[in-house]
Amino acid sequence: MTLEERVLNVLKNTFELDTVDLTCSQKTCDKWDSIGQLNLVVELETEFDVSLEPEEIGEMVSFGDIVMILKRKEVE
């Protein structure tokens, strides 16, 4: 499973979505609020065995942002 597929899986499970795609963001997902963001961070840190910095967490507002941040951390 690719990094992108794993991120989509985390988004789908965290926000209890039936489907999720590359356009998933805070603007398009009603459940992606401040509490959802915290849950998402916990799930991403667990799934990818990383620690996310507060600045990185603040940058995470879409699927693409999450993938970019994880790639910067050299997650595969």
Side-chain angles (χ1 to χ4, degrees):
M1 191 179 292
T2 66
L3 170 67
E4 289 81 1
E5 290 168 330
R6 290 171 66 195
V7 171
L8 287 173
N9 238 5
V10 170
L11 288 167
K12 185 176 178 182
N13 294 335
T14 301
F15 300 128
E16 300 172 341
L17 303 169
D18 293 330
T19 60
V20 66
D21 62 28
L22 308 182
T23 64
C24 186
S25 71
Q26 286 180 342
K27 292 179 183 168
T28 63
C29 179
D30 293 338
K31 295 182 181 179
W32 195 336
D33 54 16
S34 55
I35 299 298
Q37 181 84 349
L38 293 174
N39 292 333
L40 177 60
V41 167
V42 169
E43 294 301 320
L44 289 167
E45 287 183 332
T46 302
E47 172 71 21
F48 296 101
D49 193 27
V50 295
S51 291
L52 296 164
E53 300 301 322
E55 315 82 66
E56 294 169 326
I57 294 167
E59 290 174 25
M60 283 187 194
V61 294
S62 71
F63 164 79
D65 295 333
I66 294 169
V67 170
M68 183 183 65
I69 289 164
L70 291 173
K71 284 184 176 179
R72 272 199 320 239
K73 292 186 157 300
E74 299 182 1
V75 172
E76 297 188 13

